[in-house]
Amino acid sequence: MRNQAEIDSILNDVRARLNDRKLKTGVDLLVQKDGYLIDDDWLNIIVSPATAGIHAYQYVEALSEVEGELRQHGIEKVLLVPAAAG
């Protein structure tokens, strides 16, 4: 089970990776401060578009790439969950 410091670190890591994508692709996705749920050992991070007009394929591609990068860096059992803009 992850403690709050580990969760906060992962959330910040995901935010940084999404921000890098925004600079490269213009796809602006956000993780809110309390934008996560814990389900068993899985950390489900809720990601929403910052603006309207993001295509579904851009959204899914960004989430998939960030999840892959996390796994490559040994951060397992994290799922990025798409949410509607709002």
Side-chain angles (χ1 to χ4, degrees):
M1 187 65 113
R2 293 181 168 111
N3 64 39
Q4 191 61 49
E6 292 170 319
I7 292 169
D8 290 342
S9 177
I10 293 169
L11 291 172
N12 288 332
D13 189 351
V14 169
R15 287 184 187 106
R17 292 174 191 280
L18 291 172
N19 190 54
D20 287 346
R21 296 253 163 342
K22 175 185 167 187
L23 298 174
K24 293 176 188 174
T25 66
V27 176
D28 193 4
L29 302 174
L30 299 173
V31 175
Q32 299 299 321
K33 182 179 182 209
D34 294 324
Y36 68 92
L37 300 167
I38 299 172
D39 184 20
D40 290 325
D41 288 338
W42 285 84
L43 177 61
N44 298 295
I45 300 174
I46 302 162
V47 181
S48 60
T51 59
I54 295 174
H55 298 285
Y57 72 90
Q58 294 172 308
Y59 198 175
V60 171
E61 183 177 83
L63 298 185
S64 176
E65 287 176 0
V66 171
E67 283 180 356
E69 290 172 5
L70 293 172
R71 283 191 299 275
Q72 288 175 351
H73 286 91
I75 303 171
E76 301 287 335
K77 294 191 177 184
V78 173
L79 182 63
L80 302 183
V81 180

